[in-house]
Amino acid sequence: MDTAAADGTAAGNTTGGRPGRGRGRITSIEVLCAVLLLALLGQSWLRSTLDVPALRTGATVFVAVCVQALPFLVLGVLISGAIAAFVPARVLRKVLPRKENAAVGVAGIAGVALPGCECASVPVARRLIGQGVAPAAALTFLLAAPAVNPVVMVATAVAFPGEPGMVAARFAGSLATAMTMGWLWARWGKLDWIAERALRRLPEVEPGSRWRAFTETARADLVEAGGFLVLGALISAALGVLVPAEVFGVLGEQIVLGVLVMAVLAVVLALCSEADAFVAASLTAVPLLPKLVFLVVGPAVDVKLFALQAGTFGRSFALRFAPVTFAVAVVCAVLAGLVFLGGAR
């Protein structure tokens, strides 16, 4: 009798409900389905209630930003996943010169050939350091890969038609930021600032699991970057509807204030580099120079990158690296704008 009861209990644990699943637990998918069902049932009421000019304008801006940016975002995460799975870090290590200053230059150019989003570049840089690459070169690649790759440049050209100087200015400002930070680290950086866990050697991806690593990396990057894209599009739409045009007019008249505001906005919004150009372009009243600062600062330093760097390389590193990167990015963006955009317009 006791044995039968025990068997029944065991059977119930394995078939009637898996331990840890939690019976009756509501998942995010169920919540989404319920919200969609309610929206369908109440679509007439929603249409009559929300049919106001401001909301229509905001919805148009939101959809336009998402639709324009999504193809570049998908392409970017696919390339990022392919690099993580099929390009071993030792390949990058072999092509880098042994001299640290020369390695910084090569790492900066490697960002053009090996694109990736900001989130993906942090673990790649950590892997490079773990395999013996000079930290200065790894950090240069960390900043260059998400900022100067072809996907980002094409997205910028599409977002700013008729402004070829914007593409050149973004490329020059971002590459200068990455290489300047690399050389600054080579001159004054200390390994003691990097957490010991980031200096440990990491295992390579096994040949038999490369496709799995590709799909997992691409999926994770798409989910994370897609969320930030939606957030950025919402904020862009809200700024266009809620903020009076006079405010953006002030940014155009006071160019220094505009540069500082857009630099801080880039840090706070934390957009993906494949999508940020479309958000910047939607702010039509803002001059090109503050927009350029927004595009150069964002991929170099923002709140999510600070958190990733603190978790990967340690808080001591992030507290030193992020503020200097912010200042260098602003300066490089302004100089690039003065050269390629003809000043503060």
Side-chain angles (χ1 to χ4, degrees):
M1 187 69 178
D2 294 338
T3 304
D7 292 341
T9 302
N13 287 338
T14 56
T15 60
R18 296 178 183 175
R21 287 291 299 272
R23 298 180 184 179
R25 182 180 178 184
I26 299 177
T27 66
S28 59
I29 298 297
E30 293 168 340
V31 173
L32 176 61
C33 292
V35 171
L36 292 176
L37 180 60
L38 290 175
L40 289 174
L41 294 176
Q43 59 179 324
S44 299
W45 177 82
L46 289 173
R47 188 183 299 113
S48 60
T49 303
L50 302 179
D51 189 17
V52 294
L55 286 177
R56 287 201 301 268
T57 302
T60 301
V61 173
F62 172 78
V63 173
V65 171
C66 289
V67 170
Q68 284 184 305
L70 190 58
F72 298 99
L73 182 62
V74 172
L75 178 60
V77 299
L78 289 176
I79 295 175
S80 174
I83 291 172
F86 301 109
V87 181
R90 64 174 180 271
V91 174
L92 300 178
R93 188 185 61 203
K94 289 181 180 178
V95 301
L96 292 175
R98 293 186 177 182
K99 291 185 178 180
E100 200 168 25
N101 288 332
V104 166
V106 175
I109 300 300
V112 179
L114 298 173
C117 71
E118 299 93 315
C119 303
S121 65
V122 174
V124 171
R126 185 256 183 271
R127 182 177 294 277
L128 290 172
I129 293 175
Q131 291 202 347
V133 172
L139 296 176
T140 301
F141 181 82
L142 182 152
L143 296 175
V148 299
N149 66 72
V151 177
V152 171
M153 293 299 107
V154 172
T156 305
V158 173
F160 292 92
E163 291 289 350
M166 196 67 172
V167 179
R170 182 175 192 180
F171 179 87
S174 297
L175 185 60
T177 299
M179 296 177 66
T180 300
M181 288 303 299
W183 284 322
L184 288 176
W185 181 272
R187 177 65 178 84
W188 287 289
K190 298 179 180 179
L191 286 179
D192 294 342
W193 296 344
I194 301 177
E196 184 180 352
R197 62 179 179 275
L199 301 175
R200 296 173 185 167
R201 190 178 185 88
L202 292 175
E204 292 283 355
V205 177
E206 296 294 332
S209 60
R210 295 194 186 278
W211 281 108
R212 181 179 178 183
F214 166 73
T215 56
E216 289 296 322
T217 301
R219 180 190 59 81
D221 287 350
L222 181 60
V223 170
E224 183 170 3
F228 285 108
L229 169 60
V230 172
L231 177 62
L234 284 173
I235 295 176
S236 177
L239 290 175
V241 173
L242 301 177
V243 179
E246 293 78 9
V247 174
F248 293 110
V250 171
L251 297 182
E253 295 171 359
Q254 301 182 15
I255 199 67
V256 176
L257 178 62
V259 166
L260 294 177
V261 169
M262 293 299 287
V264 173
L265 192 63
V267 174
V268 175
L269 287 186
L271 298 178
C272 179
S273 58
E274 283 93 0
D276 58 0
F278 299 96
V279 175
S282 68
L283 304 175
T284 54
V286 178
L288 286 180
L289 183 59
K291 289 180 181 179
L292 174 64
V293 173
F294 178 87
L295 297 179
V296 173
V297 171
V301 55
D302 58 37
V303 289
K304 76 173 186 300
L305 271 176
F306 179 83
L308 284 170
Q309 291 171 4
T312 303
F313 301 110
R315 192 187 315 175
S316 178
F317 168 85
L319 289 174
R320 291 175 170 87
F321 191 74
V324 179
T325 303
F326 178 83
V328 169
V330 171
V331 172
C332 290
V334 170
L335 293 177
L338 294 175
V339 172
F340 293 97
L341 299 180
R345 61 185 185 91

